[in-house]
Amino acid sequence: MCIAGLCAAAALQGCSAPEITSIWFSLQQAGVTAPADEEPCPEGRPVLSDVVDPGAVMRWAPTVCAVFDPIDASTALCVISYESGGDPDSMNPDDPGRGSFGLMQINSDWWIGSEYHERMVKWFGRDDETYLDPAVNIGAAALLVNDPDLTGWHAWTTSRLCPHRHHEVAQQ
C-alpha cells in the first residue's frame, strides 16, 4: 500500500492531523516512497492566495495528500488558502445555515439537518462536533469533491481562483 493509502486509512480511522503528519513523516524518514509511476503529491506547486502565509497552508499538505488524489491535492491546498488561510478553527457564521467551518469551510448544511448529514455520520462514524478536526474536515471535502451526485470543486466558490479539474457529473 502506498504512503497516501496508509495515511488515508489513518484519517478515516479518526487519527488527528498531527498523528497523520507523524505517520507521513515517519514513513518518509524510513525511506518508504510512492511507486515510481505514482504522481508526486501535491501535483505541481499549488496556487495560493497572496494574502496568506504559505507555511500556514502547506503544513496541511500531508493530510491533504493522504485523502486527495495528487491531481486534486493542489486544488485542495489552494481552496484552504482562500477559505481559511490554513486556520483549522476558522468559522464563518455569515454563510447559509449555521455557517461554514474548518480548513475547507464546509458549510454546516453538510453536517447538520440535511440529507448529507446521514452520509457524514456514516462516512466518519462521528457526530457533528468533529467538523473542526482538520483530518475530518479535509476528509469530508475529499468525499464531497468525489461524490458523483455533486458538483466537485464548484461547491466552493473560491475554486474559480484555483486551477482544478472538472469532475464528471453522474449520468441520470
Side-chain angles (χ1 to χ4, degrees):
M1 181 181 284
C2 68
I3 294 171
L6 288 171
C7 292
L12 293 175
Q13 290 299 315
C15 293
S16 68
E19 290 168 328
I20 293 169
T21 302
S22 176
I23 292 167
W24 179 269
F25 287 114
S26 294
L27 292 170
Q28 292 288 339
Q29 289 174 347
V32 177
T33 59
D37 61 341
E38 189 172 307
E39 291 294 326
C41 186
E43 198 173 85
R45 185 182 177 119
V47 173
L48 303 178
S49 167
D50 292 338
V51 298
V52 300
D53 171 17
V57 174
M58 293 307 293
R59 75 182 204 161
W60 302 110
T63 306
V64 167
C65 289
V67 296
F68 277 97
D69 291 331
I71 195 168
D72 287 324
S74 290
T75 304
L77 291 164
C78 179
V79 168
I80 288 171
S81 77
Y82 284 101
E83 293 288 341
S84 67
D87 178 4
D89 297 321
S90 180
M91 293 186 232
N92 182 354
D94 296 329
D95 274 357
R98 296 181 191 168
S100 295
F101 305 93
L103 289 166
M104 299 292 297
Q105 287 296 286
I106 296 179
N107 190 275
S108 64
D109 289 347
W110 293 108
W111 297 103
I112 304 165
S114 77
E115 63 183 283
Y116 296 100
H117 170 80
E118 297 287 328
R119 285 192 197 179
M120 291 301 204
V121 172
K122 180 181 172 190
W123 284 334
F124 294 104
R126 298 168 142 187
D127 62 30
D128 299 329
E129 299 304 313
T130 61
Y131 45 68
L132 287 175
D133 179 294
V136 170
N137 197 270
I138 291 169
L143 291 167
L144 294 171
V145 164
N146 291 306
D147 187 315
D149 295 329
L150 302 176
T151 61
W153 286 111
H154 299 283
W156 288 267
T157 57
T158 56
S159 72
R160 65 180 165 41
L161 303 170
C162 304
H164 63 279
R165 69 177 167 147
H166 297 272
H167 295 277
E168 307 240 347
V169 178
Q171 298 294 321
Q172 299 292 333

mmCIF file of all heavy atoms in Angstrom, residues 16-63:
data_model
loop_
_atom_site.group_PDB
_atom_site.id
_atom_site.type_symbol
_atom_site.label_atom_id
_atom_site.label_comp_id
_atom_site.label_asym_id
_atom_site.label_seq_id
_atom_site.Cartn_x
_atom_site.Cartn_y
_atom_site.Cartn_z
ATOM 1 N N SER A 16 -5.842 12.171 14.222
ATOM 2 C CA SER A 16 -5.797 13.622 14.094
ATOM 3 C C SER A 16 -4.772 14.023 13.040
ATOM 4 O O SER A 16 -3.932 13.216 12.630
ATOM 5 C CB SER A 16 -5.421 14.255 15.437
ATOM 6 O OG SER A 16 -4.081 13.920 15.754
ATOM 7 N N ALA A 17 -4.836 15.285 12.618
ATOM 8 C CA ALA A 17 -3.868 15.786 11.631
ATOM 9 C C ALA A 17 -2.431 15.620 12.116
ATOM 10 O O ALA A 17 -1.576 15.175 11.353
ATOM 11 C CB ALA A 17 -4.164 17.238 11.281
ATOM 12 N N PRO A 18 -2.110 15.946 13.379
ATOM 13 C CA PRO A 18 -0.733 15.722 13.830
ATOM 14 C C PRO A 18 -0.336 14.244 13.784
ATOM 15 O O PRO A 18 0.801 13.920 13.448
ATOM 16 C CB PRO A 18 -0.736 16.248 15.266
ATOM 17 C CG PRO A 18 -1.843 17.250 15.305
ATOM 18 C CD PRO A 18 -2.882 16.706 14.371
ATOM 19 N N GLU A 19 -1.278 13.347 14.073
ATOM 20 C CA GLU A 19 -0.968 11.918 14.006
ATOM 21 C C GLU A 19 -0.708 11.492 12.566
ATOM 22 O O GLU A 19 0.229 10.733 12.292
ATOM 23 C CB GLU A 19 -2.113 11.090 14.604
ATOM 24 C CG GLU A 19 -2.223 11.238 16.106
ATOM 25 C CD GLU A 19 -3.509 10.663 16.675
ATOM 26 O OE1 GLU A 19 -4.556 10.701 15.976
ATOM 27 O OE2 GLU A 19 -3.460 10.181 17.810
ATOM 28 N N ILE A 20 -1.522 11.992 11.640
ATOM 29 C CA ILE A 20 -1.326 11.664 10.229
ATOM 30 C C ILE A 20 0.002 12.232 9.748
ATOM 31 O O ILE A 20 0.762 11.561 9.054
ATOM 32 C CB ILE A 20 -2.485 12.195 9.365
ATOM 33 C CG1 ILE A 20 -3.761 11.427 9.718
ATOM 34 C CG2 ILE A 20 -2.181 12.071 7.880
ATOM 35 C CD1 ILE A 20 -5.011 12.031 9.142
ATOM 36 N N THR A 21 0.292 13.465 10.133
ATOM 37 C CA THR A 21 1.571 14.080 9.763
ATOM 38 C C THR A 21 2.728 13.258 10.299
ATOM 39 O O THR A 21 3.713 13.013 9.598
ATOM 40 C CB THR A 21 1.641 15.525 10.295
ATOM 41 O OG1 THR A 21 0.537 16.257 9.755
ATOM 42 C CG2 THR A 21 2.937 16.206 9.900
ATOM 43 N N SER A 22 2.604 12.798 11.543
ATOM 44 C CA SER A 22 3.645 11.972 12.149
ATOM 45 C C SER A 22 3.832 10.672 11.365
ATOM 46 O O SER A 22 4.969 10.254 11.098
ATOM 47 C CB SER A 22 3.284 11.666 13.606
ATOM 48 O OG SER A 22 4.229 10.790 14.161
ATOM 49 N N ILE A 23 2.718 10.028 10.991
ATOM 50 C CA ILE A 23 2.796 8.800 10.196
ATOM 51 C C ILE A 23 3.485 9.092 8.869
ATOM 52 O O ILE A 23 4.393 8.377 8.445
ATOM 53 C CB ILE A 23 1.386 8.216 9.948
ATOM 54 C CG1 ILE A 23 0.788 7.695 11.263
ATOM 55 C CG2 ILE A 23 1.420 7.116 8.887
ATOM 56 C CD1 ILE A 23 -0.702 7.391 11.178
ATOM 57 N N TRP A 24 3.055 10.175 8.213
ATOM 58 C CA TRP A 24 3.606 10.561 6.904
ATOM 59 C C TRP A 24 5.122 10.742 6.989
ATOM 60 O O TRP A 24 5.874 10.168 6.206
ATOM 61 C CB TRP A 24 2.935 11.847 6.453
ATOM 62 C CG TRP A 24 3.416 12.389 5.140
ATOM 63 C CD1 TRP A 24 4.425 13.268 4.927
ATOM 64 C CD2 TRP A 24 2.906 12.077 3.847
ATOM 65 N NE1 TRP A 24 4.563 13.534 3.591
ATOM 66 C CE2 TRP A 24 3.643 12.805 2.910
ATOM 67 C CE3 TRP A 24 1.891 11.244 3.400
ATOM 68 C CZ2 TRP A 24 3.403 12.731 1.551
ATOM 69 C CZ3 TRP A 24 1.646 11.180 2.037
ATOM 70 C CH2 TRP A 24 2.402 11.913 1.137
ATOM 71 N N PHE A 25 5.569 11.554 7.964
ATOM 72 C CA PHE A 25 6.995 11.834 8.057
ATOM 73 C C PHE A 25 7.787 10.634 8.541
ATOM 74 O O PHE A 25 8.922 10.424 8.126
ATOM 75 C CB PHE A 25 7.251 13.073 8.918
ATOM 76 C CG PHE A 25 6.876 14.333 8.206
ATOM 77 C CD1 PHE A 25 5.833 15.117 8.656
ATOM 78 C CD2 PHE A 25 7.528 14.733 7.048
ATOM 79 C CE1 PHE A 25 5.453 16.264 7.994
ATOM 80 C CE2 PHE A 25 7.164 15.885 6.372
ATOM 81 C CZ PHE A 25 6.125 16.649 6.846
ATOM 82 N N SER A 26 7.211 9.790 9.386
ATOM 83 C CA SER A 26 7.894 8.563 9.822
ATOM 84 C C SER A 26 8.153 7.656 8.633
ATOM 85 O O SER A 26 9.234 7.078 8.496
ATOM 86 C CB SER A 26 7.065 7.817 10.867
ATOM 87 O OG SER A 26 6.965 8.572 12.042
ATOM 88 N N LEU A 27 7.137 7.506 7.787
ATOM 89 C CA LEU A 27 7.308 6.672 6.596
ATOM 90 C C LEU A 27 8.332 7.270 5.647
ATOM 91 O O LEU A 27 9.135 6.547 5.055
ATOM 92 C CB LEU A 27 5.968 6.482 5.889
ATOM 93 C CG LEU A 27 4.942 5.638 6.650
ATOM 94 C CD1 LEU A 27 3.583 5.727 5.972
ATOM 95 C CD2 LEU A 27 5.399 4.202 6.762
ATOM 96 N N GLN A 28 8.312 8.591 5.511
ATOM 97 C CA GLN A 28 9.291 9.251 4.641
ATOM 98 C C GLN A 28 10.712 9.030 5.159
ATOM 99 O O GLN A 28 11.618 8.727 4.394
ATOM 100 C CB GLN A 28 9.000 10.752 4.542
ATOM 101 C CG GLN A 28 7.729 11.089 3.813
ATOM 102 C CD GLN A 28 7.824 10.852 2.313
ATOM 103 O OE1 GLN A 28 8.902 10.806 1.741
ATOM 104 N NE2 GLN A 28 6.681 10.678 1.686
ATOM 105 N N GLN A 29 10.898 9.188 6.482
ATOM 106 C CA GLN A 29 12.223 9.016 7.073
ATOM 107 C C GLN A 29 12.693 7.571 6.977
ATOM 108 O O GLN A 29 13.884 7.301 6.892
ATOM 109 C CB GLN A 29 12.226 9.484 8.526
ATOM 110 C CG GLN A 29 12.124 10.980 8.656
ATOM 111 C CD GLN A 29 11.982 11.422 10.098
ATOM 112 O OE1 GLN A 29 11.725 10.620 10.980
ATOM 113 N NE2 GLN A 29 12.150 12.707 10.323
ATOM 114 N N ALA A 30 11.742 6.639 7.000
ATOM 115 C CA ALA A 30 12.096 5.225 6.904
ATOM 116 C C ALA A 30 12.412 4.829 5.462
ATOM 117 O O ALA A 30 12.758 3.686 5.190
ATOM 118 C CB ALA A 30 10.948 4.370 7.439
ATOM 119 N N GLY A 31 12.269 5.771 4.560
ATOM 120 C CA GLY A 31 12.593 5.504 3.167
ATOM 121 C C GLY A 31 11.455 4.893 2.378
ATOM 122 O O GLY A 31 11.655 4.419 1.271
ATOM 123 N N VAL A 32 10.253 4.879 2.945
ATOM 124 C CA VAL A 32 9.102 4.363 2.213
ATOM 125 C C VAL A 32 8.674 5.453 1.244
ATOM 126 O O VAL A 32 8.454 6.588 1.631
ATOM 127 C CB VAL A 32 7.945 4.013 3.183
ATOM 128 C CG1 VAL A 32 6.734 3.542 2.404
ATOM 129 C CG2 VAL A 32 8.397 2.978 4.185
ATOM 130 N N THR A 33 8.592 5.112 -0.006
ATOM 131 C CA THR A 33 8.222 6.106 -1.013
ATOM 132 C C THR A 33 7.093 5.583 -1.879
ATOM 133 O O THR A 33 6.820 4.386 -1.914
ATOM 134 C CB THR A 33 9.421 6.458 -1.925
ATOM 135 O OG1 THR A 33 9.860 5.252 -2.557
ATOM 136 C CG2 THR A 33 10.554 7.078 -1.131
ATOM 137 N N ALA A 34 6.495 6.496 -2.573
ATOM 138 C CA ALA A 34 5.446 6.122 -3.520
ATOM 139 C C ALA A 34 6.083 5.413 -4.697
ATOM 140 O O ALA A 34 7.250 5.647 -5.021
ATOM 141 C CB ALA A 34 4.711 7.372 -3.991
ATOM 142 N N PRO A 35 5.345 4.522 -5.355
ATOM 143 C CA PRO A 35 5.885 3.872 -6.551
ATOM 144 C C PRO A 35 6.311 4.916 -7.581
ATOM 145 O O PRO A 35 5.749 5.999 -7.646
ATOM 146 C CB PRO A 35 4.695 3.049 -7.070
ATOM 147 C CG PRO A 35 3.795 2.864 -5.891
ATOM 148 C CD PRO A 35 3.993 4.083 -5.032
ATOM 149 N N ALA A 36 7.292 4.550 -8.404
ATOM 150 C CA ALA A 36 7.843 5.494 -9.382
ATOM 151 C C ALA A 36 6.793 6.005 -10.358
ATOM 152 O O ALA A 36 6.885 7.136 -10.824
ATOM 153 C CB ALA A 36 8.989 4.838 -10.148
ATOM 154 N N ASP A 37 5.786 5.188 -10.656
ATOM 155 C CA ASP A 37 4.780 5.620 -11.615
ATOM 156 C C ASP A 37 3.668 6.453 -10.977
ATOM 157 O O ASP A 37 2.783 6.945 -11.658
ATOM 158 C CB ASP A 37 4.176 4.424 -12.344
ATOM 159 C CG ASP A 37 3.472 3.458 -11.404
ATOM 160 O OD1 ASP A 37 3.733 3.494 -10.187
ATOM 161 O OD2 ASP A 37 2.656 2.652 -11.903
ATOM 162 N N GLU A 38 3.720 6.627 -9.664
ATOM 163 C CA GLU A 38 2.703 7.427 -8.977
ATOM 164 C C GLU A 38 3.117 8.895 -8.977
ATOM 165 O O GLU A 38 4.273 9.229 -8.743
ATOM 166 C CB GLU A 38 2.540 6.937 -7.535
ATOM 167 C CG GLU A 38 1.361 7.552 -6.824
ATOM 168 C CD GLU A 38 1.109 6.904 -5.477
ATOM 169 O OE1 GLU A 38 0.989 5.681 -5.414
ATOM 170 O OE2 GLU A 38 1.045 7.662 -4.497
ATOM 171 N N GLU A 39 2.166 9.767 -9.263
ATOM 172 C CA GLU A 39 2.437 11.201 -9.294
ATOM 173 C C GLU A 39 2.807 11.703 -7.908
ATOM 174 O O GLU A 39 2.259 11.238 -6.906
ATOM 175 C CB GLU A 39 1.205 11.964 -9.781
ATOM 176 C CG GLU A 39 0.886 11.739 -11.233
ATOM 177 C CD GLU A 39 1.931 12.296 -12.169
ATOM 178 O OE1 GLU A 39 2.526 13.343 -11.862
ATOM 179 O OE2 GLU A 39 2.150 11.679 -13.218
ATOM 180 N N PRO A 40 3.738 12.662 -7.809
ATOM 181 C CA PRO A 40 4.051 13.244 -6.501
ATOM 182 C C PRO A 40 2.855 14.036 -5.981
ATOM 183 O O PRO A 40 2.018 14.483 -6.759
ATOM 184 C CB PRO A 40 5.234 14.170 -6.797
ATOM 185 C CG PRO A 40 5.116 14.487 -8.253
ATOM 186 C CD PRO A 40 4.458 13.288 -8.893
ATOM 187 N N CYS A 41 2.792 14.166 -4.689
ATOM 188 C CA CYS A 41 1.673 14.897 -4.095
ATOM 189 C C CYS A 41 2.222 16.029 -3.249
ATOM 190 O O CYS A 41 3.139 15.806 -2.453
ATOM 191 C CB CYS A 41 0.836 13.949 -3.255
ATOM 192 S SG CYS A 41 -0.663 14.710 -2.627
ATOM 193 N N PRO A 42 1.700 17.244 -3.386
ATOM 194 C CA PRO A 42 0.723 17.627 -4.400
ATOM 195 C C PRO A 42 1.363 17.693 -5.780
ATOM 196 O O PRO A 42 2.569 17.874 -5.903
ATOM 197 C CB PRO A 42 0.256 19.005 -3.948
ATOM 198 C CG PRO A 42 1.393 19.562 -3.186
ATOM 199 C CD PRO A 42 2.063 18.379 -2.531
ATOM 200 N N GLU A 43 0.512 17.572 -6.791
ATOM 201 C CA GLU A 43 0.983 17.627 -8.164
ATOM 202 C C GLU A 43 1.279 19.085 -8.517
ATOM 203 O O GLU A 43 0.385 19.917 -8.542
ATOM 204 C CB GLU A 43 -0.109 17.073 -9.073
ATOM 205 C CG GLU A 43 0.369 16.674 -10.431
ATOM 206 C CD GLU A 43 -0.727 15.984 -11.207
ATOM 207 O OE1 GLU A 43 -1.538 16.695 -11.834
ATOM 208 O OE2 GLU A 43 -0.779 14.746 -11.164
ATOM 209 N N GLY A 44 2.528 19.403 -8.753
ATOM 210 C CA GLY A 44 2.909 20.780 -9.058
ATOM 211 C C GLY A 44 2.894 21.661 -7.820
ATOM 212 O O GLY A 44 2.595 21.222 -6.722
ATOM 213 N N ARG A 45 3.246 22.901 -8.017
ATOM 214 C CA ARG A 45 3.246 23.866 -6.919
ATOM 215 C C ARG A 45 1.856 24.479 -6.813
ATOM 216 O O ARG A 45 1.377 25.095 -7.771
ATOM 217 C CB ARG A 45 4.294 24.938 -7.180
ATOM 218 C CG ARG A 45 4.443 25.902 -6.048
ATOM 219 C CD ARG A 45 5.473 26.973 -6.385
ATOM 220 N NE ARG A 45 5.521 27.907 -5.303
ATOM 221 C CZ ARG A 45 6.601 28.136 -4.594
ATOM 222 N NH1 ARG A 45 7.724 27.521 -4.880
ATOM 223 N NH2 ARG A 45 6.572 29.002 -3.606
ATOM 224 N N PRO A 46 1.210 24.346 -5.649
ATOM 225 C CA PRO A 46 -0.154 24.879 -5.530
ATOM 226 C C PRO A 46 -0.203 26.399 -5.664
ATOM 227 O O PRO A 46 0.695 27.102 -5.210
ATOM 228 C CB PRO A 46 -0.584 24.480 -4.118
ATOM 229 C CG PRO A 46 0.378 23.443 -3.683
ATOM 230 C CD PRO A 46 1.642 23.676 -4.440
ATOM 231 N N VAL A 47 -1.242 26.877 -6.311
ATOM 232 C CA VAL A 47 -1.530 28.310 -6.366
ATOM 233 C C VAL A 47 -2.180 28.648 -5.035
ATOM 234 O O VAL A 47 -3.145 28.016 -4.634
ATOM 235 C CB VAL A 47 -2.497 28.631 -7.522
ATOM 236 C CG1 VAL A 47 -2.932 30.083 -7.481
ATOM 237 C CG2 VAL A 47 -1.869 28.269 -8.852
ATOM 238 N N LEU A 48 -1.630 29.638 -4.324
ATOM 239 C CA LEU A 48 -2.184 30.031 -3.028
ATOM 240 C C LEU A 48 -2.562 31.507 -3.043
ATOM 241 O O LEU A 48 -2.022 32.289 -3.821
ATOM 242 C CB LEU A 48 -1.175 29.778 -1.908
ATOM 243 C CG LEU A 48 -0.646 28.358 -1.750
ATOM 244 C CD1 LEU A 48 0.372 28.290 -0.624
ATOM 245 C CD2 LEU A 48 -1.771 27.358 -1.516
ATOM 246 N N SER A 49 -3.466 31.871 -2.164
ATOM 247 C CA SER A 49 -3.842 33.266 -2.002
ATOM 248 C C SER A 49 -2.608 34.098 -1.674
ATOM 249 O O SER A 49 -1.735 33.651 -0.930
ATOM 250 C CB SER A 49 -4.875 33.391 -0.879
ATOM 251 O OG SER A 49 -5.026 34.738 -0.500
ATOM 252 N N ASP A 50 -2.561 35.305 -2.209
ATOM 253 C CA ASP A 50 -1.431 36.201 -1.955
ATOM 254 C C ASP A 50 -1.430 36.768 -0.544
ATOM 255 O O ASP A 50 -0.436 37.344 -0.118
ATOM 256 C CB ASP A 50 -1.450 37.379 -2.938
ATOM 257 C CG ASP A 50 -1.155 36.943 -4.357
ATOM 258 O OD1 ASP A 50 -0.544 35.883 -4.553
ATOM 259 O OD2 ASP A 50 -1.546 37.688 -5.282
ATOM 260 N N VAL A 51 -2.539 36.645 0.170
ATOM 261 C CA VAL A 51 -2.648 37.303 1.473
ATOM 262 C C VAL A 51 -2.477 36.345 2.649
ATOM 263 O O VAL A 51 -2.720 36.727 3.782
ATOM 264 C CB VAL A 51 -3.986 38.072 1.612
ATOM 265 C CG1 VAL A 51 -4.076 39.177 0.572
ATOM 266 C CG2 VAL A 51 -5.175 37.136 1.522
ATOM 267 N N VAL A 52 -2.053 35.109 2.380
ATOM 268 C CA VAL A 52 -1.856 34.158 3.476
ATOM 269 C C VAL A 52 -0.397 33.747 3.566
ATOM 270 O O VAL A 52 0.352 33.849 2.597
ATOM 271 C CB VAL A 52 -2.731 32.888 3.321
ATOM 272 C CG1 VAL A 52 -4.201 33.227 3.308
ATOM 273 C CG2 VAL A 52 -2.353 32.087 2.108
ATOM 274 N N ASP A 53 -0.022 33.271 4.730
ATOM 275 C CA ASP A 53 1.308 32.713 4.940
ATOM 276 C C ASP A 53 1.317 31.328 4.298
ATOM 277 O O ASP A 53 0.554 30.451 4.730
ATOM 278 C CB ASP A 53 1.584 32.619 6.440
ATOM 279 C CG ASP A 53 2.848 31.848 6.770
ATOM 280 O OD1 ASP A 53 3.698 31.638 5.870
ATOM 281 O OD2 ASP A 53 2.992 31.447 7.939
ATOM 282 N N PRO A 54 2.138 31.108 3.277
ATOM 283 C CA PRO A 54 2.148 29.800 2.619
ATOM 284 C C PRO A 54 2.413 28.641 3.590
ATOM 285 O O PRO A 54 1.853 27.564 3.437
ATOM 286 C CB PRO A 54 3.265 29.913 1.584
ATOM 287 C CG PRO A 54 3.429 31.368 1.345
ATOM 288 C CD PRO A 54 3.070 32.041 2.644
ATOM 289 N N GLY A 55 3.234 28.887 4.600
ATOM 290 C CA GLY A 55 3.522 27.833 5.580
ATOM 291 C C GLY A 55 2.296 27.404 6.358
ATOM 292 O O GLY A 55 2.153 26.227 6.708
ATOM 293 N N ALA A 56 1.394 28.343 6.625
ATOM 294 C CA ALA A 56 0.165 28.020 7.360
ATOM 295 C C ALA A 56 -0.722 27.088 6.555
ATOM 296 O O ALA A 56 -1.472 26.288 7.121
ATOM 297 C CB ALA A 56 -0.588 29.299 7.709
ATOM 298 N N VAL A 57 -0.638 27.178 5.237
ATOM 299 C CA VAL A 57 -1.438 26.312 4.364
ATOM 300 C C VAL A 57 -0.691 25.003 4.084
ATOM 301 O O VAL A 57 -1.255 23.914 4.205
ATOM 302 C CB VAL A 57 -1.767 27.033 3.038
ATOM 303 C CG1 VAL A 57 -2.467 26.101 2.064
ATOM 304 C CG2 VAL A 57 -2.599 28.280 3.307
ATOM 305 N N MET A 58 0.573 25.096 3.734
ATOM 306 C CA MET A 58 1.327 23.913 3.319
ATOM 307 C C MET A 58 1.563 22.927 4.464
ATOM 308 O O MET A 58 1.850 21.767 4.213
ATOM 309 C CB MET A 58 2.647 24.337 2.678
ATOM 310 C CG MET A 58 2.467 25.074 1.360
ATOM 311 S SD MET A 58 1.447 24.191 0.134
ATOM 312 C CE MET A 58 2.502 22.798 -0.226
ATOM 313 N N ARG A 59 1.403 23.354 5.698
ATOM 314 C CA ARG A 59 1.560 22.404 6.810
ATOM 315 C C ARG A 59 0.487 21.319 6.753
ATOM 316 O O ARG A 59 0.631 20.268 7.337
ATOM 317 C CB ARG A 59 1.545 23.120 8.150
ATOM 318 C CG ARG A 59 0.180 23.573 8.583
ATOM 319 C CD ARG A 59 0.219 24.309 9.892
ATOM 320 N NE ARG A 59 -1.077 24.235 10.524
ATOM 321 C CZ ARG A 59 -1.302 24.450 11.787
ATOM 322 N NH1 ARG A 59 -0.310 24.777 12.580
ATOM 323 N NH2 ARG A 59 -2.510 24.354 12.272
ATOM 324 N N TRP A 60 -0.595 21.582 6.008
ATOM 325 C CA TRP A 60 -1.676 20.610 5.871
ATOM 326 C C TRP A 60 -1.481 19.696 4.669
ATOM 327 O O TRP A 60 -2.302 18.807 4.416
ATOM 328 C CB TRP A 60 -3.030 21.323 5.789
ATOM 329 C CG TRP A 60 -3.249 22.159 7.003
ATOM 330 C CD1 TRP A 60 -3.245 23.527 7.074
ATOM 331 C CD2 TRP A 60 -3.455 21.692 8.337
ATOM 332 N NE1 TRP A 60 -3.440 23.924 8.377
ATOM 333 C CE2 TRP A 60 -3.563 22.825 9.173
ATOM 334 C CE3 TRP A 60 -3.552 20.420 8.904
ATOM 335 C CZ2 TRP A 60 -3.769 22.716 10.541
ATOM 336 C CZ3 TRP A 60 -3.748 20.314 10.272
ATOM 337 C CH2 TRP A 60 -3.857 21.458 11.076
ATOM 338 N N ALA A 61 -0.400 19.876 3.916
ATOM 339 C CA ALA A 61 -0.160 19.055 2.718
ATOM 340 C C ALA A 61 -0.147 17.559 3.008
ATOM 341 O O ALA A 61 -0.760 16.799 2.248
ATOM 342 C CB ALA A 61 1.123 19.490 2.022
ATOM 343 N N PRO A 62 0.485 17.069 4.077
ATOM 344 C CA PRO A 62 0.434 15.617 4.315
ATOM 345 C C PRO A 62 -0.990 15.098 4.518
ATOM 346 O O PRO A 62 -1.338 14.025 4.015
ATOM 347 C CB PRO A 62 1.271 15.425 5.582
ATOM 348 C CG PRO A 62 2.202 16.594 5.597
ATOM 349 C CD PRO A 62 1.392 17.735 5.016
ATOM 350 N N THR A 63 -1.807 15.851 5.219
ATOM 351 C CA THR A 63 -3.182 15.423 5.435
ATOM 352 C C THR A 63 -3.965 15.484 4.133
ATOM 353 O O THR A 63 -4.716 14.565 3.798
ATOM 354 C CB THR A 63 -3.858 16.294 6.514
ATOM 355 O OG1 THR A 63 -3.049 16.282 7.692
ATOM 356 C CG2 THR A 63 -5.247 15.779 6.850
#
